[in-house]
Amino acid sequence: MTDPKPATDPKPATDPKPVADPDLLYSRDEEDLRSAVRSLLADRADPAALPARVEQAGGHDPELWRALAASIGAAGLLVPEKLGGQGASHREAAVVCEELGRAVAPLPYLTSSVIATETLLAAGPAAEGLLAELAAGERTAVLLTPLSTAPGDPPPPPGPVTAVADAALADVLLVLRPDGLYAAEAADAVRTPLTALDLTRPPATVDLPEGTGAKVADAETGRAAWERGLLAGAALLASEQLGLAEWCLEQTVRHTATRHQFNRPIGSFQALKHRMAELWLEIAGARAAARAAADALATGSPDAPLLTAVAQVHCSRTAVHAAEECVQLHGGLGMTWEHPAHLYLKRAKADQTALGSPGRHKDTIARLADLPAPVSPG
Amino acid sequence: MHYPAGLGGLDAPRALQPAVDAELAAAGAPDNDPRRIGIGLGMAAPTILAYGTEEQKHRFLRPLWTGEEVWCQLFSEPGAGSDLAALATRAVADGDSWAVTGQKVWTSSAHLARWAILVARTDPDAPKHRGLTYFLCDMTDPGVEVRPLRQITGEAEFNEVFLDGVRIPDAHRLGAVGEGWRVAQATLMNERVSIGGGRQPREGGMIAKAAATWRERPELRTAELHQRLLDLWVDAEVARLTGERLRQQLAAGAPGPEGSGAKLVFARLNQQISALETELLGDEGLLYEDWTLRRPEYVDFTGRDAGYRYLRAKGNSIEGGTSEVLLNIVAERVLGLPAEPRTDKDVPWKDLAR
């Protein structure tokens, strides 16, 4: 967790040489961090227990958040030590996202500790006080924008903003206005919780009165910071999707290896086996793609926007596919409220829209990889 | 480099090979034309090294490495494809030699080869995996007949090989009598590594052709093809990163199971990308360069025209293990799913249905 890699200030893309191969493995420190997060979640956020409590405030558990954010220090991974953080990088934060995805844990990690934190890191000195509070896990912040906002999208127009993820329990709202980036107290907004498809990342409609909040960056810096926040969110969402897909495949393999019909384990039928093997191939690709995106952000590689878009297209699909197969191959059990498979399906489907749909990311790839769309006639 | 000294190598680490190749190429040294002797290098050599006697290693490896002797592989038969262990070519002991009779198929380079690696049945009364023996067969023996096997592309890249009482001295048996299946496993593992295992730059391989056509021919673009091209571009990039991750794991001394999947993904990508390219070309996609029966010395999956690439890619999910069998291997060996119940394992080969 004291990885020396720079977490911020990527070098500008001035080097015309091909970018270096990303490090796609996990370091020993990263594996240690994974173990710490996994054992915390095993103790405090067992997916099997989640269906029973998820309807109360999205299953929010302030003590679990404190343990993850403050005791393990996960909330401050992206923040330099001199600003009160761990001085680690997106690689470590991505490992946390994998574990949270495996547990579909209802915690504001992606929205606050990744997206808002990355935005504030790029905003400059005026944001440092708030950054320290986020890094310590004392407060949470979210961008005032719909969860579907992709890197490159403009901020929403003034007025009520719908589908703002984790907004109901957030302390601070980050607002991009034409003259700069602002941090506003969430308590000053009217927040209306929404009934959501994904019960584990609760959204709200947020109506923040105009002019509320303190300016933390000017227009140009604020716009760039906003963009960085969304890019980091999209990149690390891929790791969450990877973790989610891995859990779905593991549970499906376990279930089909032990469930007997026709006097055999159903996992011995090729029709099922091949479907699980296909998922495994997709997940092997998802791991490589998610690692590549996280590493590109951590090293400030100019390849980060392209690798993020690639990871989003692939990992979104993989997570949805894995969750759909998990429901189907669990048969009737997969359709019950009691079994947590539905929470994974709902998260996976919502994650597909979050931070840009696969189609939106393919538009980005078309631009960055020089594969232009046909010119429409007329 | 990594082979023993005197047997084609220098007992040196395999990692030095690229540096040596580069130095030799820079000095203008002739190479051994590795594409022409791929089966020898990739399959026969590692198997002979692992199972050969000292005499066999010294007789066969040097001319294999220098390219003087081309090798081919006599494994598949008309009645034994995915179920290779069911093969029916018989080898009957006769003094200090064996008389071999049967038919082999899908044999590349048989018309160029001096030697073949051959699996034949020596005990029809044993269960199928236990009655096989592995031989090194002289392709110039008068009982060997090689006929071109014309394939879907119009080319005859492969052959049928008919064996009629071919005499193989017992000194050319590789491994013990009845151990042929185990020896053949070493060969087949090397085959799968050699298909789909190569390192690629971004947009390398089949996607390069489709992307180049897309950029150079804006008049061919349609919205539907654009979406498919982008999907395949992403799939190709993800496959490249997956291969890169596998290489990093190997370099770190911790190989992962991802290698089992590389050929599956490679086959699907080649098929889908070449199919897209044929459609993208519109009227040109209706044409084919030339159906004349040819006997290519090399096979380039990304060679010739889009129609050839589309047709040749169909073989990628069949050769070296069908995709269906490889999915079983992933499911059983990587995921640990229970095996299919089997009725063929403990029955004498001669009593199996065929």
Side-chain angles (χ1 to χ4, degrees):
Chain A
M1 279 198 258
T2 49
D3 194 304
K5 287 189 187 97
T8 56
D9 300 316
K11 286 162 201 76
T14 50
D15 191 345
K17 281 184 302 199
V19 290
D21 283 330
D23 173 2
L24 303 175
L25 306 181
Y26 299 99
S27 70
R28 190 173 298 250
D29 284 352
E30 287 162 5
E31 290 295 2
D32 289 347
L33 174 63
R34 180 196 304 287
S35 301
V37 175
R38 187 174 291 191
S39 67
L40 172 69
L41 294 171
D43 285 351
R44 307 280 287 274
D46 179 6
L50 196 50
R53 61 181 183 88
V54 74
E55 285 175 288
Q56 285 89 49
H60 182 67
D61 178 350
E63 278 182 44
L64 174 62
W65 175 248
R66 268 193 295 279
L68 176 78
S71 305
I72 291 182
L77 287 171
L78 297 181
V79 180
E81 284 172 283
K82 66 179 182 343
L83 298 179
Q86 306 292 327
S89 80
H90 305 80
R91 293 178 54 90
E92 291 82 357
V95 169
V96 175
C97 288
E98 281 183 35
E99 293 306 309
L100 295 174
R102 283 181 69 91
V104 282
L107 295 170
Y109 190 80
L110 185 73
T111 47
S112 180
S113 307
V114 176
I115 300 173
T117 298
E118 180 84 4
T119 304
L120 291 171
L121 278 166
E128 285 180 4
L130 177 54
L131 207 43
E133 292 174 340
L134 296 192
E138 293 162 7
R139 307 186 88 196
T140 62
V142 298
L143 299 197
L144 184 62
T145 197
L147 180 60
S148 61
T149 311
D153 284 349
V161 182
T162 193
V164 184
D166 294 329
L169 294 167
D171 301 299
V172 176
L173 302 169
L174 302 182
V175 193
L176 185 62
R177 299 194 177 114
D179 67 325
L181 181 71
Y182 288 77
E185 288 301 313
D188 293 340
V190 177
R191 290 176 286 175
T192 314
L194 300 166
T195 303
L197 178 71
D198 172 15
L199 294 115
T200 61
R201 181 132 58 209
T205 296
V206 180
D207 192 0
L208 181 71
E210 283 207 44
T212 321
K215 193 170 183 173
V216 293
D218 65 23
E220 195 186 333
T221 308
R223 179 83 190 118
W226 182 268
E227 179 64 22
R228 272 201 66 83
L230 291 172
L231 183 66
L236 270 57
L237 175 62
S239 289
E240 175 185 311
Q241 290 163 324
L242 164 65
L244 186 155
E246 282 190 295
W247 183 91
C248 289
L249 177 59
E250 281 173 24
Q251 296 301 311
T252 306
V253 167
R254 182 179 305 174
H255 175 72
T256 57
T258 51
R259 162 92 176 164
H260 281 68
Q261 297 280 275
F262 308 103
N263 196 35
R264 318 161 38 171
I266 58 173
S268 67
F269 286 101
Q270 283 194 21
L272 273 58
K273 239 181 223 180
H274 284 192
R275 287 166 68 163
M276 288 181 267
E278 296 279 8
L279 263 187
W280 179 81
L281 292 174
E282 287 175 44
I283 289 171
R287 188 175 298 106
R291 278 275 91 186
D295 187 76
L297 276 178
T299 58
S301 164
D303 220 13
L306 180 60
L307 286 171
T308 295
V310 166
Q312 264 306 297
V313 172
H314 183 78
C315 296
S316 286
R317 285 187 183 142
T318 301
V320 170
H321 186 205
E324 289 179 346
E325 292 292 67
C326 182
V327 168
Q328 173 66 23
L329 299 185
H330 277 78
L333 193 58
M335 281 299 288
T336 63
W337 189 272
E338 186 185 0
H339 192 281
H342 66 99
L343 297 175
Y344 287 80
L345 177 64
K346 292 161 186 172
R347 170 72 75 86
K349 200 60 190 165
D351 275 358
Q352 196 176 33
T353 298
L355 294 147
S357 65
R360 179 70 180 69
H361 291 292
K362 283 201 283 177
D363 292 344
T364 301
I365 293 164
R367 186 165 44 81
L368 296 177
D370 184 28
L371 297 166
V375 179
S376 46
Chain B
M1 288 298 290
H2 63 289
Y3 272 66
L7 297 176
L10 290 172
D11 281 316
R14 191 170 195 164
L16 293 177
Q17 189 69 48
V20 173
D21 289 346
E23 286 294 321
L24 286 172
D31 69 8
N32 55 9
D33 200 358
R35 293 196 298 180
R36 190 165 157 267
I37 57 171
I39 291 169
L41 296 175
M43 294 180 237
T47 315
I48 292 169
L49 186 70
Y51 287 98
T53 61
E54 283 311 304
E55 232 169 25
Q56 288 169 339
K57 290 185 218 175
H58 282 98
R59 163 60 189 87
F60 292 111
L61 286 175
R62 191 180 185 284
L64 185 159
W65 286 112
T66 60
E68 286 162 73
E69 291 181 349
V70 175
W71 285 72
C72 67
Q73 180 197 27
L74 296 176
F75 279 26
S76 291
E77 298 182 4
S82 290
D83 187 9
L84 181 65
L87 63 84
T89 292
R90 284 280 281 125
V92 179
D94 180 12
D96 59 358
S97 70
W98 298 79
V100 181
T101 299
Q103 183 187 348
K104 296 286 181 177
V105 74
W106 297 116
T107 314
S108 45
S109 308
H111 56 298
L112 307 169
R114 171 67 214 279
W115 294 97
I117 45 180
L118 164 76
V119 185
R121 186 157 308 279
T122 44
D123 184 0
D125 296 319
K128 65 182 183 181
H129 294 92
R130 280 175 254 156
L132 299 171
T133 302
Y134 199 114
F135 297 98
L136 308 175
C137 173
D138 184 345
M139 292 295 285
T140 63
D141 190 282
V144 177
E145 187 194 350
V146 176
R147 294 184 204 159
L149 178 62
R150 197 176 186 196
Q151 70 210 54
I152 195 167
T153 56
E155 295 183 341
E157 200 187 301
F158 301 95
N159 303 277
E160 295 175 288
V161 177
F162 296 83
L163 306 167
D164 182 12
V166 177
R167 308 297 297 190
I168 299 183
D170 192 54
H172 290 176
R173 170 170 50 78
L174 198 66
V177 174
E179 285 290 295
W181 184 249
R182 201 158 63 87
V183 183
Q185 290 307 304
T187 309
L188 295 172
M189 281 313 296
N190 283 294
E191 179 175 28
R192 278 171 207 151
V193 169
S194 69
I195 300 177
R199 185 174 196 167
Q200 294 278 12
R202 174 173 290 162
E203 211 180 89
M206 201 69 95
I207 195 70
K209 302 280 180 181
T213 306
W214 185 268
R215 291 187 190 113
E216 289 158 14
R217 308 276 301 273
E219 76 282 5
L220 298 174
R221 297 173 192 163
T222 70
E224 189 262 350
L225 291 170
H226 189 226
Q227 290 305 308
R228 281 167 59 197
L229 176 67
L230 290 169
D231 284 333
L232 290 169
W233 197 92
V234 169
D235 290 348
E237 174 66 1
V238 170
R240 182 186 76 83
L241 290 166
T242 309
E244 183 55 37
R245 183 160 198 276
L246 179 66
R247 267 180 290 281
Q248 290 181 9
Q249 287 176 305
L250 284 170
E258 280 85 348
S260 316
K263 183 177 123 51
L264 276 162
V265 173
F266 171 83
R268 188 170 310 156
L269 268 176
N270 279 357
Q271 291 173 353
Q272 293 180 348
I273 294 167
S274 58
L276 174 96
E277 199 192 349
T278 312
E279 290 168 64
L280 172 62
L281 287 168
D283 287 344
E284 277 173 58
L286 298 173
L287 308 180
Y288 193 79
E289 181 195 24
D290 182 8
W291 291 114
T292 310
L293 173 70
R294 311 184 194 185
R295 310 222 66 191
E297 278 201 24
Y298 314 125
V299 180
D300 180 359
F301 299 147
T302 62
R304 295 187 63 179
D305 63 356
Y308 169 83
R309 293 194 279 274
Y310 171 69
L311 294 170
R312 185 59 186 82
K314 293 295 167 204
N316 293 158
S317 54
I318 300 168
E319 56 205 337
T322 66
S323 290
E324 289 73 17
V325 165
L326 294 181
L327 285 170
N328 284 347
I329 290 172
V330 168
E332 292 176 17
R333 301 202 193 148
V334 180
L335 296 178
L337 284 164
E340 193 95 4
R342 294 191 51 170
T343 56
D344 60 342
K345 275 194 159 166
D346 302 314
V347 181
W349 173 82
K350 63 181 170 49
D351 298 333
L352 294 174
R354 68 177 73 85

